[in-house]
Amino acid sequence: MGRIASSIEDSINRIARWLPHQGPIKEFIHHNTLHAFQAFPFHEGCLRASRLYGSWAYFPLAHYRDLYREGLVDDGALIEIFEQATNCEFVVGLHDASPTGRANWSQLKEALLSPDLDDYVPQPGITESGIRSRWGSHHQLHMGHLVHPVLFRLVGQYLDQGVAMWGAPHPEYTLFRFVADLVKDSWLPLWPFSSARIRDDFDLDPSDIVEKILARFLGPESSSLYERYLLEMCLAHPGWSGMVRELELHPENLVERRGVSLLDFCALELMAEYEYVCKHLGPDFPSLGGISEQLPYEPGYQLIETRAEQAAGLWQAAFERTYRRRFLRQLDWPARRLRSGDGSPQTQVDIQAFFCLDDREGSVRRHLEAQDPTIETYGFAGFFGVDCVFQGIDDAFPFKHCPAPVHPKHLIRERRLTSRQDAKSLKIHEIQDGSHTLVRGFVISQTLGLWAAVKLALSIFRPSLNPLATSSLQCVDSESTMAVHRTQDKVDEDGFFAGYSDTEMADRVGNLLRASGLVASGLAGLIVFVGHGASSVNNPYFAAYDCGACSGKGGGPNARAIALMANRPEVRAILRERGLDIQPTTWFLGALHDTTRDEMQYYDLESVPATHHSLLLRFQSAMEISVALNAKERCRRFANVSPKIDPRDAILAVRRRAVSIFEPRPELNHATNAVCIVGRRQVSKGLDLNRRCFLNSYDPTLDPTGEILASLLLAVVPVCGGINLEYYFSRTDPVHYGAGSKLPHNIQALIGVINGTDGDLLTGLPTQMTEVHDPFRLLFLVEQTSLLALKAARANPEIFEWIENGWIQYLCLDIEDGQIYEFHGGEMRLSATSPEASRT
């Protein structure tokens, strides 16, 4: 690696940076697949990652040519990219080849469309061309085929969360000690770990084992290569390596915690490799020798782009620019701003509804506002500022319900209003436990098994909700109350406060209302917080369909909690002292929108005052029509549903999809996401943005210093940017960055997904979630002055890295001159697509 590692532990910590950061599937949280490369400019980071992993940074050139012929890349965008690519060697080469010594955009287009240009093909990654690959190329010893089946089964058995019939015999041990005791206590050999050559090594520390074996593989004089060998070994199975590291850092993400570490994992793998090498080559095998090439992330590494890669980069930039030009043209902000200020009387607002900023909710908001002009909608991160862990009545453990970077300190529990017990559920559990015994298992399989087969066959032709379905409508129990208020200031054994104090509640309610700009327009009589979740069956990626701001959980508990907080008289009294006066005529209500079934659920309806019943009925009626229209809109993208379907039939169609065990696409989730708008509703109200836009409410006129905008960016950029880039990379390379097709997937240990019955854990998203996605970097548009937009972006270094290095496209809709500014070269510049720039 160019330097001697100070210790094996330090080397492990360094290589972990380049592994996937995907946690267990029950908490599937979208993130930037190439987070480790964010310190580089976007296109450079993509190419460096391509060198390391052997992955695709772009589509093949032939695919871009097809996009051009389909009109998804236009000449105007190509011209803009050509004019900006003055340092691109591909463009400079056209200058050299031109008789006049000056190229023009038509020459660029001709060169890009030329079939003579060699297509873009990724170079081999370090697992195929590195020092460890010499076991195969020099000695015909393929470590993956020999070691991985044994290693994966052991670690899967150890981490198992309830799939296995028999659990790990020593789950309280570390992974290393777990395998050591299996080897020493088992009557049967556990090959290769039971070999006499390595059996005694279990008495050593794992770091000593790693150093000892690497010294034998590479030679003591090549200690600078130890870290590289470990990296190549871990990247040969990035799914398992990354999962082990994530569970080492966040053991709380497992219901049944395990003492697992990447060091233990590497030590076990090296022990197995050593035994196989000795077995096939003899104990006096030759060392692998040295290697001089630098890795793509090391200082001094010279990134040399191929001509095809440069062409693909130009195509991708033009692809993104084409959509950007068309979106901003559709926005038509100057004209919309003039119309909004034309002096016409404003419609009275009777109801205000908060939705998650999720791109799937934009179309529901549009339909709702069209159904009833007296309803005003807002967008906010779907946890609604309630940073908690939540434990429902039927939950054995509490689960996190706030964004991944947030560390909650508050626990909210449901309490049953009656002593009713779910006898049916208890009987099912008793039957399941009995099926694991010899006699009862045989009887149950012969009797109930036939009936289960009949029910399975019927569910294919008449799908319906059943206990096997993951239903977001069950995330809150209708016959329960929620313990939101804290009565004593002490923490439990896990360090959580049982609820919130009145002051803490006032903080969260006040911050949400002020950040959204709701205070300026005044509060309506009824304010509804609508969380969201998704129901599906036979879907290991169910958490990826739920609310990302709730750590892959349904947002119902958060919506119910914030409404209960806002209705407390004590909270309103504190807010009144702070200048936010919530009148007694205003009532807050929690609800949930199931985005797969397009179904609504409302909470605490019995508490709604009689004076607000008419408003509630109006909202429910308007939402009933809106979700039906939304279902019809969603059906446009389903190949087996007619686009002319009636809204009532569309509801039935999407609900059948949600419970069909053979349906790999219950919904298309965030596919085609491309834009995030942080601003007032008037910027996008009434526009059909084709379900591609995240919408976060923000009133720039209430933020003269930009501090509110800076706080919003801190949450919105990682959440929306992470969603966008995970879809981006899963689409461009479904093998290295995505999970391939869902069809051969199986759950492994209830923590991840594998293909078939064996192999590495899959990371990223399956093709059924990305196949219609256009990989654009998120177009992040904030409504503010260009100076304050830049100030807010620079306020947090982690957020500014996203913007400065181009992992999102940062634009500002200036509230003073109505022009579009874009971040470029460290400043906000008038965009080429801005009306003023177009005139000049």
Side-chain angles (χ1 to χ4, degrees):
M1 305 282 293
R3 61 182 180 275
I4 297 177
S6 58
S7 70
I8 295 300
E9 289 86 351
D10 289 342
S11 294
I12 292 291
N13 291 333
R14 281 191 291 269
I15 68 173
R17 175 178 175 83
W18 313 104
L19 300 176
H21 283 197
Q22 184 169 304
I25 53 175
K26 73 179 181 65
E27 293 184 350
F28 195 105
I29 300 172
H30 294 287
H31 63 287
N32 178 10
T33 307
L34 300 187
H35 60 275
F37 291 87
Q38 277 188 204
F40 299 102
F42 177 75
H43 290 289
E44 180 182 347
C46 290
L47 289 172
R48 286 177 179 266
S50 177
R51 300 290 191 274
L52 185 67
Y53 305 127
S55 54
W56 290 82
Y58 310 106
F59 283 138
L61 294 179
H63 185 79
Y64 286 116
R65 295 184 187 115
D66 290 340
L67 292 174
Y68 178 80
R69 284 188 283 268
E70 294 169 10
L72 297 177
V73 179
D74 62 30
D75 288 341
L78 279 172
I79 293 172
E80 288 185 24
I81 297 304
F82 173 72
E83 292 175 346
Q84 294 178 4
T86 55
N87 296 324
C88 177
E89 293 183 11
F90 186 88
V91 175
V92 173
L94 295 179
H95 284 264
D96 297 338
S98 174
T100 63
R102 184 180 62 188
N104 55 46
W105 78 269
S106 60
Q107 289 174 307
L108 172 69
K109 183 173 73 171
E110 182 180 353
L112 291 175
L113 292 172
S114 173
D116 297 331
L117 179 63
D118 291 336
D119 208 340
Y120 160 54
V121 178
Q123 300 178 18
I126 64 168
T127 58
E128 291 83 19
S129 60
I131 188 171
R132 183 173 173 272
S133 67
R134 294 176 184 173
W135 290 127
S137 60
H138 291 23
H139 304 291
Q140 288 71 53
L141 192 59
H142 301 288
M143 288 298 185
H145 297 160
L146 297 170
V147 175
H148 291 177
V150 178
L151 183 69
F152 295 168
R153 290 189 184 114
L154 277 174
V155 70
Q157 177 75 14
Y158 174 72
L159 294 175
D160 180 75
Q161 297 292 291
V163 174
M165 186 177 295
W166 292 288
H170 307 294
E172 69 280 6
Y173 291 179
T174 64
L175 174 63
F176 187 79
R177 188 182 173 193
F178 163 73
V179 178
D181 279 15
L182 283 181
V183 171
K184 295 177 180 179
D185 299 342
S186 176
W187 291 358
L188 298 175
L190 182 62
W191 186 263
F193 300 103
S194 55
S195 167
R197 258 188 296 262
I198 61 173
R199 185 185 180 98
D200 292 340
D201 285 348
F202 282 108
D203 296 328
L204 301 176
D205 187 88
S207 61
D208 294 333
I209 295 173
V210 171
E211 188 171 6
K212 171 186 172 182
I213 296 177
L214 288 177
R216 183 65 186 87
F217 282 174
L218 304 171
E221 70 284 353
S222 299
S223 57
S224 61
L225 294 175
Y226 292 0
E227 192 171 316
R228 172 158 186 159
Y229 189 97
L230 289 172
L231 178 60
E232 292 178 11
M233 184 175 73
C234 287
L235 289 182
H237 43 70
W240 276 115
S241 301
M243 180 65 70
V244 166
R245 181 61 172 181
E246 283 298 295
L247 296 179
E248 177 183 1
L249 298 177
H250 304 287
E252 69 277 5
N253 286 345
L254 287 182
V255 175
E256 297 289 345
R257 297 192 180 187
R258 300 287 186 264
V260 66
S261 73
L262 189 57
L263 176 60
D264 286 1
F265 190 62
C266 289
L268 292 171
E269 184 164 10
L270 283 171
M271 291 171 72
E273 286 190 359
Y274 180 75
E275 174 56 30
Y276 278 115
V277 170
C278 291
K279 178 182 178 182
H280 288 80
L281 304 181
D284 298 325
F285 61 87
S287 65
L288 293 177
I291 196 167
S292 59
E293 296 88 356
Q294 288 183 305
L295 292 177
Y297 57 80
E298 291 184 318
Y301 175 86
Q302 186 177 4
L303 178 64
I304 302 175
E305 294 183 69
T306 66
R307 183 173 170 82
E309 284 175 335
Q310 292 174 357
L314 292 171
W315 272 120
Q316 178 62 32
F319 185 33
E320 293 179 344
R321 186 61 61 95
T322 300
Y323 175 77
R324 172 172 153 179
R325 287 160 52 88
R326 293 174 181 177
F327 167 74
L328 292 177
R329 194 179 302 127
Q330 179 186 11
L331 207 60
D332 191 20
W333 168 243
R336 293 175 63 80
R337 186 174 66 159
L338 289 174
R339 287 195 297 271
S340 66
D342 60 4
S344 57
Q346 298 295 313
T347 303
Q348 178 181 336
V349 176
D350 296 330
I351 303 170
Q352 290 157 332
F354 276 84
F355 290 81
C356 181
L357 58 83
D358 193 288
D359 49 316
R360 292 169 292 178
E361 298 289 50
S363 51
V364 178
R365 292 175 59 183
R366 170 166 39 85
H367 291 305
L368 181 61
E369 291 164 340
Q371 288 302 311
D372 189 339
T374 68
I375 298 178
E376 189 175 55
T377 68
Y378 291 81
F380 198 80
F383 76 117
F384 298 122
V386 182
D387 48 343
C388 69
V389 292
F390 171 74
Q391 185 171 10
I393 287 177
D394 296 322
D395 294 335
F397 302 91
F399 296 99
K400 185 176 178 180
H401 271 252
C402 54
V406 178
H407 300 286
K409 299 180 180 178
H410 303 271
L411 169 64
I412 295 179
R413 282 195 175 100
E414 278 186 332
R415 294 174 181 170
R416 199 179 295 278
L417 293 174
T418 67
S419 59
R420 177 182 65 86
Q421 295 294 327
D422 196 338
K424 181 179 180 181
S425 176
L426 292 175
K427 289 179 181 179
I428 290 176
H429 285 298
E430 290 174 1
I431 292 174
Q432 289 176 337
D433 293 340
S435 68
H436 291 174
T437 63
L438 179 62
V439 176
R440 280 184 292 172
F442 175 80
V443 174
I444 289 173
S445 63
Q446 298 301 313
T447 55
L448 298 183
L450 178 61
W451 173 239
V454 173
K455 288 187 66 177
L456 177 63
L458 289 175
S459 69
I460 294 176
F461 299 100
R462 298 190 64 180
S464 61
L465 275 176
N466 60 73
L468 297 179
T470 302
S471 176
S472 66
L473 303 176
Q474 299 170 358
C475 66
V476 172
D477 192 298
S478 58
E479 297 185 24
S480 72
T481 183
M482 186 175 280
V484 177
H485 181 240
R486 183 169 77 242
T487 57
Q488 51 186 347
D489 291 333
K490 66 177 183 178
V491 298
D492 61 17
E493 62 275 10
D494 295 319
F496 295 119
F497 290 103
Y500 296 81
S501 68
D502 288 325
T503 300
E504 290 167 340
M505 294 185 201
D507 292 340
R508 282 146 183 81
V509 174
N511 289 342
L512 184 149
L513 296 178
R514 288 192 175 94
S516 302
L518 184 56
V519 179
S521 59
L523 304 181
L526 178 66
I527 300 178
V528 186
F529 294 102
V530 184
H532 73 96
S535 298
S536 60
V537 65
N538 192 27
N539 179 22
Y541 295 93
F542 67 92
Y545 289 78
D546 281 333
C547 182
C550 299
S551 286
K553 306 295 185 300
N558 301 73
R560 186 184 191 187
I562 193 69
L564 291 173
M565 292 179 184
N567 284 330
R568 280 184 63 82
E570 297 84 352
V571 172
R572 295 191 180 193
I574 295 172
L575 290 174
R576 190 176 302 113
E577 294 175 0
R578 298 177 181 179
L580 176 56
D581 190 7
I582 302 177
Q583 296 296 317
T585 53
T586 294
W587 189 259
F588 295 85
L589 184 70
L592 178 85
H593 172 218
D594 189 322
T595 59
T596 308
R597 295 174 56 81
D598 265 317
E599 187 171 354
M600 289 293 297
Q601 185 176 59
Y602 300 90
Y603 306 127
D604 303 311
L605 291 177
E606 69 283 353
S607 301
V608 178
T611 53
H612 288 70
H613 285 179
S614 60
L615 291 178
L616 174 60
L617 291 174
R618 277 173 52 192
F619 182 79
Q620 290 176 315
S621 176
M623 277 299 299
E624 184 177 0
I625 299 173
S626 299
V627 294
L629 294 172
N630 190 61
K632 174 181 173 62
E633 187 170 331
R634 289 172 53 204
C635 286
R636 296 182 306 184
R637 291 181 177 170
F638 297 145
N640 59 349
V641 181
S642 170
K644 298 181 180 179
I645 190 172
D646 183 87
R648 291 169 294 184
D649 295 329
I651 281 285
L652 298 177
V654 298
R655 291 179 182 175
R656 280 195 299 268
R657 295 178 72 89
V659 295
S660 298
I661 62 173
F662 54 83
E663 179 52 69
R665 304 171 188 83
E667 66 168 280
L668 294 173
N669 207 0
H670 301 291
T672 72
N673 76 86
V675 180
C676 178
I677 298 177
V678 179
R680 290 169 288 186
R681 182 57 173 150
Q682 67 190 79
V683 175
S684 58
K685 188 172 183 178
L687 293 179
D688 183 354
L689 298 175
N690 203 22
R691 297 169 56 86
R692 307 188 76 164
C693 191
F694 300 99
L695 298 171
N696 198 112
S697 296
Y698 165 69
D699 191 337
T701 64
L702 299 178
D703 187 23
T705 64
E707 292 181 4
I708 295 177
L709 177 59
S711 65
L712 287 175
L713 296 182
L714 193 60
V716 177
V717 168
V719 171
C720 298
I723 291 172
N724 172 264
L725 290 176
E726 186 155 39
Y727 272 82
Y728 182 110
F729 293 116
S730 294
R731 177 70 175 92
T732 55
D733 192 335
V735 175
H736 289 90
Y737 297 144
S741 173
K742 273 184 181 181
L743 302 184
H745 288 181
N746 279 310
I747 297 290
Q748 173 73 348
L750 275 185
I751 62 169
V753 176
I754 60 174
N755 272 328
T757 59
D758 206 353
D760 192 21
L761 292 181
L762 302 174
T763 59
L765 305 173
T767 54
Q768 285 81 5
M769 292 171 67
T770 63
E771 58 197 348
V772 300
H773 183 66
D774 295 320
F776 305 136
R777 283 171 296 163
L778 191 66
L779 195 64
F780 210 93
L781 180 67
V782 301
E783 187 190 7
Q784 187 46 277
T785 66
S786 57
L787 291 177
L788 285 180
L790 181 60
K791 177 185 175 183
R794 291 183 179 274
N796 185 287
E798 293 182 3
I799 298 303
F800 189 57
E801 183 180 73
W802 284 79
I803 297 168
E804 184 178 32
N805 292 330
W807 293 83
I808 62 173
Q809 303 176 77
Y810 190 63
L811 279 71
C812 171
L813 195 162
D814 196 296
I815 59 175
E816 292 182 346
D817 61 16
Q819 303 301 320
I820 301 293
Y821 291 80
E822 61 179 307
F823 180 86
H824 185 76
E827 60 183 3
M828 302 300 294
R829 299 180 181 178
L830 194 64
S831 172
T833 50
S834 182
E836 184 64 29
S838 299
R839 286 193 289 271
T840 58

